Amino acid sequence: MVFDVSVAMTWLLYLALFPMAFFWFRRAWRILIKRDFSEVAIKRGQSPADPARWAPYTMAINGVAGATAVFVIIGVALAGLPYETWTAIAGTTIWSKFLLDFALSRHAHGLGPRTRA
């Protein structure tokens, strides 16, 4: 194996799954156990009017994304998932998590006019 850019990017993606899974599980834990809704559906640094309403959705998004990341980590380390498979799962998980969080935050704040601070 020759060390080049693709190998470095592969290792970077694999190693980045560890902190991502940690932060995603930590957000789900804060919402489910600690009942901390401060990170629910944030838009421009502000929570929606009723963050408790949107908390289960945010918790589910973060929990599923964290579980998928852990699945990929274990699958690569123990089961030897093929490169194409685990990178596809990891990439799809990352993009889906970011897009679903974005969509949820926009939906939670509604379509009302912008308020100036």
Side-chain angles (χ1 to χ4, degrees):
M1 174 166 74
V2 177
F3 186 76
D4 59 354
V5 175
S6 66
V7 173
M9 293 301 291
T10 301
W11 274 100
L12 186 63
L13 174 62
Y14 182 71
L15 293 175
L17 288 175
F18 289 88
M20 281 192 277
F22 171 75
F23 285 112
W24 292 339
F25 275 135
R26 186 178 71 171
R27 283 184 76 187
W29 172 267
R30 284 180 177 174
I31 293 168
L32 182 65
I33 304 300
K34 293 178 131 185
R35 310 297 292 168
D36 178 14
F37 304 136
S38 62
E39 296 180 359
V40 172
I42 300 293
K43 180 179 177 184
R44 294 189 189 102
Q46 298 177 356
S47 294
D50 185 17
R53 176 181 174 198
W54 306 102
Y57 304 110
T58 303
M59 192 262 320
I61 291 169
N62 285 290
V64 169
T68 306
V70 168
F71 168 76
V72 170
I73 291 168
I74 292 171
V76 169
L78 300 179
L81 281 175
Y83 173 77
E84 292 81 15
T85 303
W86 77 263
T87 55
I89 295 171
T92 303
T93 301
I94 293 167
W95 277 105
S96 296
K97 196 264 187 228
F98 291 146
L99 292 174
L100 287 172
D101 269 347
F102 178 80
L104 182 68
S105 68
R106 296 313 181 252
H107 186 70
H109 285 272
L111 295 174
R114 253 185 172 177
T115 58
R116 302 267 170 147

